[in-house]
Amino acid sequence: MRAVRMTAPGTLELTDVPTPQPGPGEVLLRVGAVGACHSDLHILDAAAGMFPTPMTLGHEIAGTVESAGAGVDGWSPGDRAAVYGIIGCGRCRACLRGEENRCRVNPLGGIGLSRDGGLAEYVAVPASRLLHVGDMDLTQAAPLTDAGLTPYHAVELARDRLRPGTTCVVIGIGGLGHMALQILVATTAVRIVAVDTSVAALDLAGRLGAHHVVPAGPDAAATIRELVGPPPGGADVVLDFVGAQPTLDTARQVVATGGHLLLVGLAGGTLPVRPVADEPPPVPLETSVVVPFWGTRAELQEVIALGRDGRLHADVQTFPLAEAPEAYEALRRGDIHGRAVIVP
């Protein structure tokens, strides 16, 4: 079968490899769609030894069951499924609570991270990782597994502050940010302020339900302050889907005392957090800072329900499998609006 593999750090190649066979407890999935994520770029750019090579990338996967290994119940050929990419130990305190994204035994990893992923015609995955998607378009189902799940989990972490009449600032209306907007619209009654450098992204944010759109840049914090008022007030929740220094600075400058900062993006910025009496403080008093990671299987089930109900829809650009390396280069250049999806 054809597969797009990281053959060495920084090297992505279309190759021919044997079709995997499902082991006990596993299912062979005929891949229908795979989302291209910025996390994949971080894997490609990582130092040698951090991730296995060669390895097939792709952790946002949806497809159709081809066959099942020994001991698998509840899945039959032809069933359509999305893949929950995390593989926890199943034994630690977090996993026993269903929080495999917080596993205290297995290091960061999973399907497409520490074992072969979905940028191929077929992928073998543990049956426990599958969730039914019914008749959903697989190019829509695949992005739900990360681009939908991660912002949903972030919103869940701040749910107690996202009360009717509060304000949430969403920075970065890309693959995850445009999904976060829809999740907020579908599950809350908050005022939403969207921030991005791209006019097209801000136009999309407005169409998706943002109440205000603000161009990112040196004046962004001041513009948002005009909407949320002066300190110690401000935005109740700030979701940063970029994580660069300018966006982190904007986030900490507009969050309210006692607010929530959720840092989802991985662009390498630094947030100063220290207990000082400076005015203004680097981060307001009583403010919580959380770095969300992916989400739980239960949350993915809820994300899929939103998708099947038509309330969560990914803005996708599709590429054939042979053009996956070009899709990642477009992602690196910032030329992808919404989510790039590879169709084997």
Side-chain angles (χ1 to χ4, degrees):
M1 69 172 186
R2 297 178 305 151
V4 175
R5 314 200 82 196
M6 181 174 68
T7 55
T11 303
L12 198 60
E13 296 183 282
L14 180 66
T15 63
D16 287 311
V17 297
T19 301
Q21 297 302 309
E26 291 188 335
V27 163
L28 181 66
L29 202 67
R30 184 170 71 252
V31 178
V34 185
C37 180
H38 271 97
S39 298
D40 296 325
L41 297 180
H42 291 287
I43 294 171
L44 283 166
D45 294 341
M50 287 192 65
F51 296 94
T53 54
M55 179 178 71
T56 303
L57 293 187
H59 57 270
E60 287 189 356
I61 310 166
T64 304
V65 174
E66 183 77 6
S67 62
V72 172
D73 294 318
W75 293 98
S76 302
D79 288 345
R80 293 153 61 83
V83 177
Y84 177 71
I86 298 172
I87 301 178
C89 72
R91 303 181 305 276
C92 71
R93 186 184 302 273
C95 285
L96 291 173
R97 289 197 300 259
E99 298 171 341
E100 293 171 270
N101 57 316
R102 297 179 177 179
C103 180
R104 299 182 181 185
V105 176
N106 288 354
L108 173 66
I111 298 163
L113 300 174
S114 56
R115 59 180 279 170
D116 284 338
L119 278 177
E121 294 175 307
Y122 295 91
V123 62
V125 300
S128 62
R129 304 300 93 183
L130 299 185
L131 292 93
H132 288 278
V133 298
D135 60 357
M136 277 193 73
D137 183 336
L138 295 180
T139 63
Q140 285 295 313
L144 296 182
T145 62
D146 183 357
L149 176 56
T150 298
Y152 188 86
H153 177 63
V155 168
E156 284 296 296
L157 292 174
R159 183 70 68 185
D160 64 325
R161 303 299 172 92
L162 294 168
R163 313 303 301 172
T166 60
T167 298
C168 180
V169 174
V170 180
I171 302 175
I173 313 303
L176 275 66
H178 88 288
M179 302 291 268
L181 278 176
Q182 296 174 74
I183 292 164
L184 290 167
V185 169
T187 67
T188 76
V190 302
R191 179 174 62 156
I192 303 167
V193 180
V195 183
D196 202 284
T197 57
S198 164
V199 172
L202 293 178
D203 287 344
L204 175 63
R207 296 196 302 273
L208 293 176
H211 300 87
H212 305 277
V213 296
V214 175
D219 299 326
T223 302
I224 296 169
R225 276 290 172 193
E226 292 176 2
L227 298 171
V228 300
D236 300 272
V237 175
V238 180
L239 299 165
D240 185 353
F241 290 99
V242 181
Q245 195 60 53
T247 63
L248 291 175
D249 288 341
T250 297
R252 68 182 180 85
Q253 289 167 14
V254 303
V255 70
T257 292
H260 278 3
L261 290 176
L262 294 110
L263 313 181
V264 184
L266 302 174
T270 301
L271 183 74
V273 179
R274 57 184 184 274
V276 295
D278 295 351
E279 187 58 43
V283 173
L285 298 173
E286 293 283 320
T287 296
S288 67
V289 179
V290 179
V291 181
F293 175 61
W294 227 332
T296 69
R297 279 187 289 171
E299 288 169 336
L300 179 54
Q301 185 75 61
E302 294 169 2
V303 170
I304 292 170
L306 287 174
R308 295 185 68 176
D309 198 42
R311 290 189 285 173
L312 185 57
H313 184 274
D315 183 30
V316 303
Q317 295 177 245
T318 59
F319 298 81
L321 184 64
E323 295 179 13
E326 289 80 3
Y328 280 105
E329 286 307 310
L331 183 64
R332 191 184 294 278
R333 293 192 304 268
D335 292 341
I336 299 295
H337 300 293
R339 200 59 155 181
V341 174
I342 315 301
V343 180

Short mmCIF file of all heavy atoms in Angstrom, two decimals, residues 57-97:
data_model
loop_
_atom_site.label_atom_id
_atom_site.label_comp_id
_atom_site.label_asym_id
_atom_site.label_seq_id
_atom_site.Cartn_x
_atom_site.Cartn_y
_atom_site.Cartn_z
N LEU A 57 2.94 9.24 9.42
CA LEU A 57 2.31 10.30 10.19
C LEU A 57 0.79 10.25 10.04
O LEU A 57 0.24 9.43 9.31
CB LEU A 57 2.84 11.66 9.74
CG LEU A 57 4.31 11.97 10.02
CD1 LEU A 57 4.62 13.42 9.65
CD2 LEU A 57 4.65 11.71 11.48
N GLY A 58 0.12 11.18 10.74
CA GLY A 58 -1.32 11.32 10.62
C GLY A 58 -2.07 10.80 11.82
O GLY A 58 -2.17 9.59 12.02
N HIS A 59 -2.58 11.72 12.67
CA HIS A 59 -3.31 11.30 13.86
C HIS A 59 -4.78 11.72 13.85
O HIS A 59 -5.51 11.38 14.77
CB HIS A 59 -2.62 11.85 15.13
CG HIS A 59 -2.48 13.35 15.14
ND1 HIS A 59 -1.38 13.98 14.63
CD2 HIS A 59 -3.31 14.32 15.60
CE1 HIS A 59 -1.51 15.29 14.79
NE2 HIS A 59 -2.69 15.51 15.36
N GLU A 60 -5.22 12.46 12.84
CA GLU A 60 -6.64 12.80 12.69
C GLU A 60 -7.23 11.88 11.61
O GLU A 60 -7.13 12.17 10.43
CB GLU A 60 -6.81 14.26 12.25
CG GLU A 60 -6.53 15.29 13.31
CD GLU A 60 -6.92 16.68 12.84
OE1 GLU A 60 -7.34 16.86 11.68
OE2 GLU A 60 -6.81 17.62 13.65
N ILE A 61 -7.83 10.78 12.02
CA ILE A 61 -8.15 9.71 11.07
C ILE A 61 -9.63 9.36 11.13
O ILE A 61 -10.22 9.24 12.22
CB ILE A 61 -7.34 8.44 11.40
CG1 ILE A 61 -5.84 8.76 11.54
CG2 ILE A 61 -7.56 7.37 10.34
CD1 ILE A 61 -5.05 7.63 12.18
N ALA A 62 -10.21 9.16 9.95
CA ALA A 62 -11.54 8.55 9.84
C ALA A 62 -11.52 7.58 8.68
O ALA A 62 -10.81 7.80 7.68
CB ALA A 62 -12.61 9.61 9.64
N GLY A 63 -12.27 6.50 8.79
CA GLY A 63 -12.26 5.52 7.72
C GLY A 63 -13.33 4.46 7.90
O GLY A 63 -14.27 4.63 8.69
N THR A 64 -13.15 3.37 7.18
CA THR A 64 -14.13 2.28 7.15
C THR A 64 -13.45 0.99 7.57
O THR A 64 -12.34 0.68 7.10
CB THR A 64 -14.70 2.13 5.73
OG1 THR A 64 -15.26 3.37 5.31
CG2 THR A 64 -15.79 1.07 5.69
N VAL A 65 -14.10 0.25 8.44
CA VAL A 65 -13.52 -1.01 8.92
C VAL A 65 -13.40 -1.99 7.77
O VAL A 65 -14.37 -2.26 7.05
CB VAL A 65 -14.38 -1.61 10.05
CG1 VAL A 65 -13.86 -3.00 10.43
CG2 VAL A 65 -14.38 -0.69 11.27
N GLU A 66 -12.17 -2.51 7.58
CA GLU A 66 -11.90 -3.51 6.55
C GLU A 66 -11.97 -4.92 7.14
O GLU A 66 -12.56 -5.82 6.55
CB GLU A 66 -10.52 -3.25 5.94
CG GLU A 66 -10.15 -4.18 4.81
CD GLU A 66 -10.83 -3.81 3.50
OE1 GLU A 66 -11.51 -2.75 3.44
OE2 GLU A 66 -10.69 -4.59 2.54
N SER A 67 -11.35 -5.11 8.30
CA SER A 67 -11.36 -6.41 8.96
C SER A 67 -11.02 -6.21 10.43
O SER A 67 -10.53 -5.15 10.83
CB SER A 67 -10.37 -7.38 8.31
OG SER A 67 -9.04 -6.88 8.42
N ALA A 68 -11.30 -7.23 11.22
CA ALA A 68 -11.05 -7.15 12.66
C ALA A 68 -10.20 -8.32 13.11
O ALA A 68 -10.32 -9.44 12.60
CB ALA A 68 -12.37 -7.13 13.43
N GLY A 69 -9.33 -8.06 14.08
CA GLY A 69 -8.50 -9.11 14.64
C GLY A 69 -9.24 -9.92 15.67
O GLY A 69 -10.42 -9.66 16.00
N ALA A 70 -8.56 -10.89 16.22
CA ALA A 70 -9.16 -11.78 17.21
C ALA A 70 -9.61 -10.99 18.44
O ALA A 70 -8.93 -10.07 18.89
CB ALA A 70 -8.16 -12.86 17.62
N GLY A 71 -10.77 -11.36 18.96
CA GLY A 71 -11.24 -10.77 20.20
C GLY A 71 -11.95 -9.45 20.05
O GLY A 71 -12.29 -8.83 21.07
N VAL A 72 -12.20 -8.99 18.82
CA VAL A 72 -12.85 -7.70 18.62
C VAL A 72 -14.36 -7.91 18.50
O VAL A 72 -14.82 -8.70 17.67
CB VAL A 72 -12.33 -6.99 17.35
CG1 VAL A 72 -13.15 -5.74 17.05
CG2 VAL A 72 -10.87 -6.62 17.53
N ASP A 73 -15.11 -7.21 19.34
CA ASP A 73 -16.57 -7.23 19.27
C ASP A 73 -17.07 -5.82 18.98
O ASP A 73 -16.45 -4.83 19.36
CB ASP A 73 -17.18 -7.71 20.60
CG ASP A 73 -16.85 -9.16 20.90
OD1 ASP A 73 -16.91 -9.98 19.96
OD2 ASP A 73 -16.53 -9.46 22.07
N GLY A 74 -18.21 -5.73 18.31
CA GLY A 74 -18.85 -4.44 18.11
C GLY A 74 -18.45 -3.72 16.85
O GLY A 74 -18.96 -2.62 16.57
N TRP A 75 -17.53 -4.30 16.06
CA TRP A 75 -17.11 -3.68 14.81
C TRP A 75 -17.13 -4.71 13.69
O TRP A 75 -16.63 -5.82 13.87
CB TRP A 75 -15.71 -3.07 14.94
CG TRP A 75 -15.68 -1.90 15.87
CD1 TRP A 75 -15.31 -1.90 17.18
CD2 TRP A 75 -16.09 -0.57 15.56
NE1 TRP A 75 -15.45 -0.64 17.72
CE2 TRP A 75 -15.94 0.20 16.74
CE3 TRP A 75 -16.57 0.06 14.42
CZ2 TRP A 75 -16.25 1.56 16.81
CZ3 TRP A 75 -16.88 1.42 14.47
CH2 TRP A 75 -16.72 2.15 15.65
N SER A 76 -17.71 -4.31 12.56
CA SER A 76 -17.85 -5.21 11.41
C SER A 76 -17.36 -4.51 10.16
O SER A 76 -17.36 -3.27 10.09
CB SER A 76 -19.31 -5.61 11.23
OG SER A 76 -19.83 -6.24 12.38
N PRO A 77 -16.91 -5.27 9.17
CA PRO A 77 -16.52 -4.65 7.90
C PRO A 77 -17.62 -3.73 7.36
O PRO A 77 -18.79 -4.09 7.36
CB PRO A 77 -16.27 -5.86 6.99
CG PRO A 77 -15.86 -6.95 7.93
CD PRO A 77 -16.70 -6.73 9.15
N GLY A 78 -17.20 -2.55 6.94
CA GLY A 78 -18.15 -1.57 6.42
C GLY A 78 -18.53 -0.51 7.43
O GLY A 78 -19.07 0.54 7.04
N ASP A 79 -18.30 -0.75 8.73
CA ASP A 79 -18.60 0.27 9.74
C ASP A 79 -17.67 1.47 9.54
O ASP A 79 -16.48 1.32 9.25
CB ASP A 79 -18.39 -0.28 11.15
CG ASP A 79 -19.47 -1.26 11.56
OD1 ASP A 79 -20.52 -1.32 10.89
OD2 ASP A 79 -19.26 -1.98 12.56
N ARG A 80 -18.23 2.66 9.71
CA ARG A 80 -17.46 3.90 9.54
C ARG A 80 -17.11 4.47 10.91
O ARG A 80 -17.96 4.49 11.81
CB ARG A 80 -18.26 4.90 8.71
CG ARG A 80 -18.46 4.45 7.26
CD ARG A 80 -19.72 5.03 6.65
NE ARG A 80 -19.68 6.48 6.63
CZ ARG A 80 -19.08 7.21 5.68
NH1 ARG A 80 -18.46 6.60 4.68
NH2 ARG A 80 -19.10 8.53 5.72
N ALA A 81 -15.87 4.91 11.07
CA ALA A 81 -15.38 5.27 12.40
C ALA A 81 -14.38 6.41 12.34
O ALA A 81 -13.71 6.63 11.34
CB ALA A 81 -14.72 4.06 13.06
N ALA A 82 -14.32 7.12 13.45
CA ALA A 82 -13.24 8.07 13.71
C ALA A 82 -12.31 7.45 14.73
O ALA A 82 -12.72 6.60 15.54
CB ALA A 82 -13.79 9.40 14.24
N VAL A 83 -11.05 7.87 14.72
CA VAL A 83 -10.02 7.28 15.58
C VAL A 83 -9.64 8.26 16.68
O VAL A 83 -9.24 9.40 16.40
CB VAL A 83 -8.78 6.88 14.77
CG1 VAL A 83 -7.68 6.34 15.69
CG2 VAL A 83 -9.14 5.86 13.70
N TYR A 84 -9.75 7.82 17.92
CA TYR A 84 -9.21 8.55 19.05
C TYR A 84 -7.74 8.20 19.17
O TYR A 84 -7.37 7.04 19.41
CB TYR A 84 -9.97 8.16 20.33
CG TYR A 84 -9.45 8.80 21.60
CD1 TYR A 84 -9.63 10.16 21.84
CD2 TYR A 84 -8.79 8.03 22.56
CE1 TYR A 84 -9.17 10.74 23.02
CE2 TYR A 84 -8.32 8.61 23.73
CZ TYR A 84 -8.52 9.97 23.96
OH TYR A 84 -8.05 10.55 25.11
N GLY A 85 -6.86 9.18 18.96
CA GLY A 85 -5.45 8.90 18.72
C GLY A 85 -4.61 8.57 19.93
O GLY A 85 -3.52 8.00 19.79
N ILE A 86 -5.05 8.91 21.13
CA ILE A 86 -4.24 8.70 22.32
C ILE A 86 -4.32 7.24 22.77
O ILE A 86 -5.39 6.63 22.74
CB ILE A 86 -4.71 9.62 23.46
CG1 ILE A 86 -4.56 11.09 23.07
CG2 ILE A 86 -3.95 9.34 24.75
CD1 ILE A 86 -5.17 12.05 24.05
N ILE A 87 -3.19 6.71 23.19
CA ILE A 87 -3.17 5.37 23.78
C ILE A 87 -2.54 5.50 25.16
O ILE A 87 -1.32 5.60 25.30
CB ILE A 87 -2.38 4.38 22.91
CG1 ILE A 87 -3.01 4.29 21.51
CG2 ILE A 87 -2.35 3.00 23.57
CD1 ILE A 87 -2.27 3.37 20.56
N GLY A 88 -3.38 5.52 26.18
CA GLY A 88 -2.90 5.59 27.55
C GLY A 88 -2.55 4.21 28.08
O GLY A 88 -2.77 3.19 27.42
N CYS A 89 -2.02 4.18 29.29
CA CYS A 89 -1.63 2.90 29.89
C CYS A 89 -2.84 2.08 30.31
O CYS A 89 -2.78 0.86 30.41
CB CYS A 89 -0.70 3.12 31.08
SG CYS A 89 -1.53 3.80 32.55
N GLY A 90 -3.96 2.76 30.60
CA GLY A 90 -5.18 2.09 31.04
C GLY A 90 -5.19 1.70 32.50
O GLY A 90 -6.19 1.15 32.99
N ARG A 91 -4.11 2.02 33.24
CA ARG A 91 -4.00 1.57 34.63
C ARG A 91 -3.81 2.70 35.63
O ARG A 91 -4.11 2.52 36.82
CB ARG A 91 -2.83 0.59 34.78
CG ARG A 91 -2.90 -0.62 33.88
CD ARG A 91 -1.71 -1.55 34.09
NE ARG A 91 -0.43 -0.86 33.91
CZ ARG A 91 0.15 -0.68 32.72
NH1 ARG A 91 -0.44 -1.12 31.61
NH2 ARG A 91 1.31 -0.06 32.63
N CYS A 92 -3.27 3.82 35.20
CA CYS A 92 -2.97 4.90 36.15
C CYS A 92 -4.27 5.61 36.59
O CYS A 92 -5.35 5.39 36.02
CB CYS A 92 -1.99 5.90 35.54
SG CYS A 92 -2.68 6.94 34.24
N ARG A 93 -4.13 6.47 37.57
CA ARG A 93 -5.28 7.16 38.13
C ARG A 93 -6.02 7.95 37.05
O ARG A 93 -7.25 7.95 36.99
CB ARG A 93 -4.82 8.09 39.25
CG ARG A 93 -5.95 8.78 40.02
CD ARG A 93 -5.39 9.75 41.03
NE ARG A 93 -4.50 9.08 41.97
CZ ARG A 93 -4.91 8.49 43.08
NH1 ARG A 93 -6.20 8.47 43.39
NH2 ARG A 93 -4.04 7.91 43.89
N ALA A 94 -5.27 8.63 36.16
CA ALA A 94 -5.91 9.44 35.13
C ALA A 94 -6.65 8.55 34.13
O ALA A 94 -7.80 8.83 33.78
CB ALA A 94 -4.86 10.30 34.42
N CYS A 95 -6.00 7.50 33.65
CA CYS A 95 -6.65 6.62 32.68
C CYS A 95 -7.90 5.98 33.26
O CYS A 95 -8.92 5.83 32.57
CB CYS A 95 -5.69 5.56 32.20
SG CYS A 95 -4.44 6.15 31.03
N LEU A 96 -7.87 5.60 34.52
CA LEU A 96 -9.02 4.97 35.15
C LEU A 96 -10.19 5.94 35.26
O LEU A 96 -11.34 5.52 35.37
CB LEU A 96 -8.65 4.41 36.51
CG LEU A 96 -7.71 3.20 36.48
CD1 LEU A 96 -7.27 2.83 37.89
CD2 LEU A 96 -8.36 2.01 35.80
N ARG A 97 -9.89 7.25 35.24
CA ARG A 97 -10.95 8.26 35.22
C ARG A 97 -11.40 8.57 33.80
O ARG A 97 -12.24 9.44 33.60
CB ARG A 97 -10.47 9.55 35.88
CG ARG A 97 -10.30 9.49 37.38
CD ARG A 97 -10.23 10.90 37.97
NE ARG A 97 -9.11 11.64 37.41
CZ ARG A 97 -7.95 11.83 38.03
NH1 ARG A 97 -7.75 11.31 39.23
NH2 ARG A 97 -6.98 12.53 37.47
#
